[in-house]
Amino acid sequence: MKNSFTIINNRTNESFEFDILDAARGPSVVDISTFYAKTKMFTYDPGFTSTASCISDITFIDGEKGELRYRGIEISELASNNSYLDVCYLLLNSKLPNKEESKDFDLELRHRSFLHEGLKNLFKAFPSNAHPMATLSSAASALSSFYYDHLVIHSEAEYQEMARRIIAKMPTIAAFAYRHSIGAPFIQPDIDKSFTENFLYMLRAYPGGKMHRNANGEDIIREIEIKALDTIFTLHADHEQNASTTTVRTVASTGAHPYVAISAGISALWGRAHGGANESVIAQLEMIGSVENVDKFIARAKDPEDEFRLMGFGHRVYKNFDPRAKALKELQDELKVELNLDSNLMEIANRIEQIALSDEYFISRKLYPNIDFYSGVILTALQIPKSMFTPVFVIGRTVGWITQWIEYKKETKTKISRPRQLYLGK
Ligand code: SDX
């Protein structure tokens, strides 16, 4: 059996052969990198629905089965048994950390969570009503000037240092952007707090760092809130070659600084077709307002003349339940009493899901709830404002972007990303 694909040009009867490369999991690929050289024609695949852009062993998605694995481990296993920081270690090092490695990694990120004093002035340059995503992408880009030596990386140790630095700083950047938007002074990270607890602390603490206390004199950042947010970070950590990761890899291919590649990824994620959907889902549920209005909006989502779309529904790859959405729905059900989740929003969301999953329009197009459909109700219960939902996605995804950036850089046969076109002009 020949391990190749033969393509025949029926206009000229010429046939061309291309190698088949087999995957460890999922579809094989046809290597068409010599297609233009052999055929003097381009392939055409806008949106890359049938195109593999790289070779990777970081994250695997089976869209038909609704399966997601980080370094081969199922997402449901990681979300139930591991902290977000251990998942960051797994993505960066291809293995989960032992106790010692986990402790050292956690401590290193606590020490790296602080921002250079000069960077703080950047936040003040923004109007208080600036969307935090604008501030995040600007701050990530500005970080490249404080750590310019990461432009050329020579060793594994430096790859790790560069990656740990931006993973550690992203929650501080996001929290400072939020504090600026409410006219409150920045709260410095507290190295006695874990990665996830620190983020909630930097959002909520009074000026000077004091926290509300409950009747028993304990900080009101509850364990259950920390666990919920930690799980949300894990579910967002990486997702193969999505639009923002492809953006990060494209910027990596030009040789620019890793932190400006992350900045470009943040900008790409902001769009409501991508990571910006989580904010739009809650805005949409609030606009729908009550269960009685759901049918009207479902009809609009189905109307080809109406550009209204159900935010949080559909996915380029998942043509089954998004396993992250499943994990979040379970988390929502688990937390609804403890965190006093907004029952009206949940009721509307459940009604949308119930109708959509039995309606021919959604079934025929294999449109299921995606990760963004459920995250917002939990984030709202964590007193995180809508404008901070996509920044929460950024905090979770920074490890995925930087891991993919490193994988690209370590690839020996890379070329600058430079697609061609079908020209229909004069
Ligand atoms: C993320 O890629 C990733 O991995 C992304 C992500 C990650 O972790 O990085 O998973 C995160 O971005 C999740 C997706 C969040 N976006 C949304 O929830 C926005 C709403 N969803 C859609 O915009 C849409 O479903 C996309 C963008 C997510 C996927 O679009 P595709 O694969 O390009 O599908 P399509 O636009 O070609 O739609 C196919 C059909 C069309 O109908 P027809 O033209 O065939 O009649 O399905 C319809 C679409 O109109 N459709 C929807 C719909 N999504 C698709 N109709 C109503 N509501 C929707 N949400």
Side-chain angles (χ1 to χ4, degrees):
M1 173 183 66
K2 287 169 82 174
N3 194 33
S4 63
F5 229 80
T6 302
I7 297 180
I8 296 172
N9 178 342
N10 292 316
R11 286 181 179 171
T12 63
N13 261 333
E14 290 171 292
S15 71
F16 304 93
E17 265 196 63
F18 301 94
D19 291 341
I20 294 175
L21 308 178
D22 287 322
R25 289 180 191 271
S28 299
V29 302
V30 182
D31 181 349
I32 57 163
S33 49
T34 57
F35 192 90
Y36 177 66
K38 288 179 178 171
T39 69
K40 292 303 172 225
M41 292 173 87
F42 297 138
T43 59
Y44 178 60
D45 182 16
F48 313 120
T49 44
S50 305
T51 296
S53 61
C54 63
I55 292 172
S56 180
D57 63 3
I58 300 168
T59 294
F60 174 74
I61 301 174
D62 183 323
E64 298 307 321
K65 284 195 216 146
E67 184 186 323
L68 168 61
R69 292 168 181 271
Y70 296 160
R71 298 289 189 191
I73 304 176
E74 277 260 311
I75 189 70
S76 53
E77 208 182 301
L78 292 169
S80 318
N81 309 324
N82 301 91
S83 69
Y84 171 67
L85 251 45
D86 283 358
V87 168
C88 289
Y89 189 98
L90 167 70
L91 286 166
L92 283 170
N93 299 289
S94 304
K95 74 176 187 71
L96 282 165
N98 60 34
K99 267 201 175 21
E100 205 48 41
E101 290 161 337
S102 179
K103 201 160 138 286
D104 293 345
F105 188 72
D106 181 321
L107 192 59
E108 181 179 348
L109 262 62
R110 293 181 192 216
H111 287 126
R112 292 190 184 281
S113 61
F114 297 87
L115 300 184
H116 187 290
E117 282 300 297
L119 189 61
K120 291 182 186 170
N121 302 320
L122 177 100
F123 296 90
K124 299 191 170 75
F126 285 83
S128 57
N129 64 349
H131 196 291
M133 287 296 281
T135 322
L136 257 70
S137 61
S138 307
S141 179
L143 266 187
S144 68
S145 44
F146 289 89
Y147 302 102
Y148 199 69
D149 52 343
H150 290 328
L151 179 65
V152 182
I153 295 180
H154 302 288
S155 67
E156 181 55 32
E158 199 180 342
Y159 275 122
Q160 288 291 329
E161 180 191 39
M162 177 278 294
R164 294 170 188 208
R165 205 166 236 155
I166 192 144
I167 294 166
K169 292 180 191 319
M170 202 56 80
T172 311
I173 290 172
F176 282 16
Y178 171 66
R179 299 287 292 200
H180 173 67
S181 74
I182 58 171
F186 300 145
I187 297 293
Q188 287 296 344
D190 174 349
I191 57 165
D192 294 332
K193 291 184 174 17
S194 70
F195 179 93
T196 301
E197 182 182 6
N198 228 336
F199 178 61
L200 290 171
Y201 167 69
M202 292 188 282
L203 291 182
R204 294 185 189 173
Y206 286 118
K210 281 245 176 300
M211 276 299 294
H212 293 295
R213 288 184 180 280
N214 63 20
N216 317 328
E218 300 144 347
D219 270 0
I220 58 137
I221 301 180
R222 292 178 292 158
E223 270 313 308
I224 191 155
E225 294 180 292
I226 298 166
K227 176 80 187 88
L229 187 55
D230 206 71
T231 305
I232 287 178
F233 286 148
T234 291
L235 295 173
H236 286 80
D238 194 46
H239 213 235
E240 196 206 82
Q241 307 310 318
N242 58 81
S244 50
T245 299
T246 299
T247 304
V248 169
R249 280 179 172 262
T250 298
V251 176
S253 78
T254 69
H257 192 286
Y259 296 168
V260 299
I262 298 295
S263 171
I266 294 171
S267 300
L269 187 78
W270 192 358
R272 64 197 303 257
H274 193 9
N278 57 12
E279 180 180 346
S280 305
V281 166
I282 289 293
Q284 200 165 82
L285 295 178
E286 288 168 349
M287 176 186 69
I288 292 172
S290 78
V291 175
E292 292 67 41
N293 297 334
V294 167
D295 291 337
K296 182 173 62 175
F297 284 94
I298 293 275
R300 286 191 57 193
K302 291 162 60 178
D303 177 356
E305 302 310 313
D306 190 333
E307 62 177 27
F308 177 84
R309 281 199 165 177
L310 271 188
M311 289 291 110
F313 255 77
H315 198 276
R316 169 58 58 75
V317 176
Y318 289 122
K319 300 306 169 191
N320 195 326
F321 241 93
D322 179 336
R324 304 166 300 174
K326 221 183 252 179
L328 278 171
K329 187 165 168 47
E330 284 158 18
L331 192 62
Q332 221 185 53
D333 294 341
E334 198 186 303
L335 299 176
K336 73 179 150 206
V337 174
E338 282 276 0
L339 288 185
N340 186 22
L341 299 186
D342 182 320
S343 51
N344 185 46
L345 290 185
M346 280 181 72
E347 215 186 326
I348 297 169
N350 291 337
R351 180 78 181 124
I352 290 173
E353 184 193 332
Q354 190 190 30
I355 298 179
L357 296 186
S358 56
D359 183 297
E360 188 42 38
Y361 173 91
F362 296 90
I363 295 171
S364 61
R365 291 167 177 80
K366 297 186 177 180
L367 302 176
Y368 289 86
N370 59 50
I371 187 167
D372 296 310
F373 191 65
Y374 298 107
S375 54
V377 173
I378 299 172
L379 293 174
T380 303
L382 296 177
Q383 302 157 52
I384 293 174
K386 276 200 293 292
S387 63
M388 287 297 291
F389 285 7
T390 313
V392 163
F393 197 144
V394 170
I395 293 169
R397 183 56 57 87
T398 295
V399 63
W401 286 329
I402 207 67
T403 303
Q404 298 267 355
W405 186 92
I406 292 171
E407 183 176 72
Y408 178 90
K409 284 296 177 186
K410 288 182 176 174
E411 182 50 60
T412 48
K413 291 186 294 188
T414 54
K415 296 173 92 61
I416 188 168
S417 294
R418 198 340 184 155
R420 302 305 301 275
Q421 62 184 9
L422 171 66
Y423 180 70
L424 295 181
K426 287 192 177 55

